[in-house]
Amino acid sequence: MEAILSYVVAVFFAVAIYMMLSTHVVRIVLGVAIFGNAVNLLIFTAGRIVREVPPIIPEGHDVPVGIVANPLPQALILTAIVISFSFFAFLLVLAYRAYQEIGTDETGGMRVAEPEGDGLPPMGY
């Protein structure tokens, strides 16, 4: 099962990087969202996928009895889901506002600070 999820994570990373290299802001934002999901799936896969009991310590014991699931990846993923969703929502609103102000979602057309008639800024010292 981990091998299949590893391939899925690799595909997610490849698609996310491909989309983030685009010149359109909407594709970049979607790439960031897919990248966040790939990281969450990577953490989930790294935490081992087992059908074990939850990590609840029975009464009268100091440690869990038998094999239990690791709660750390689940806690990390829950936190990462909240952070990545809020980051995605912020980027989406930012992209929408930029589209409203500038009228395009292509990064080449978002040269507000650099007029189109001017050449490129200095590339080195």
Side-chain angles (χ1 to χ4, degrees), residues 65-112:
V65 178
I67 300 172
V68 295
N70 187 2
L72 184 61
Q74 297 171 10
L76 288 174
I77 290 171
L78 286 175
T79 305
I81 286 171
V82 172
I83 291 170
S84 65
F85 182 74
S86 63
F87 186 63
F88 175 69
F90 174 73
L91 286 180
L92 205 57
V93 169
L94 194 63
Y96 182 67
R97 281 294 296 153
Y99 180 76
Q100 280 183 332
E101 289 291 323
I102 300 169
T104 182
D105 72 333
E106 188 175 357
T107 56
M110 294 182 159
R111 296 177 51 160
V112 175

Side-chain angles (χ1 to χ4, degrees), residues 39-83:
V39 169
N40 291 341
L41 198 56
L42 176 69
I43 294 171
F44 183 69
T45 306
R48 291 183 297 160
I49 300 169
V50 293
R51 291 185 181 190
E52 302 299 338
V53 295
I56 298 173
I57 300 173
E59 194 171 320
H61 293 275
D62 292 333
V63 295
V65 178
I67 300 172
V68 295
N70 187 2
L72 184 61
Q74 297 171 10
L76 288 174
I77 290 171
L78 286 175
T79 305
I81 286 171
V82 172
I83 291 170

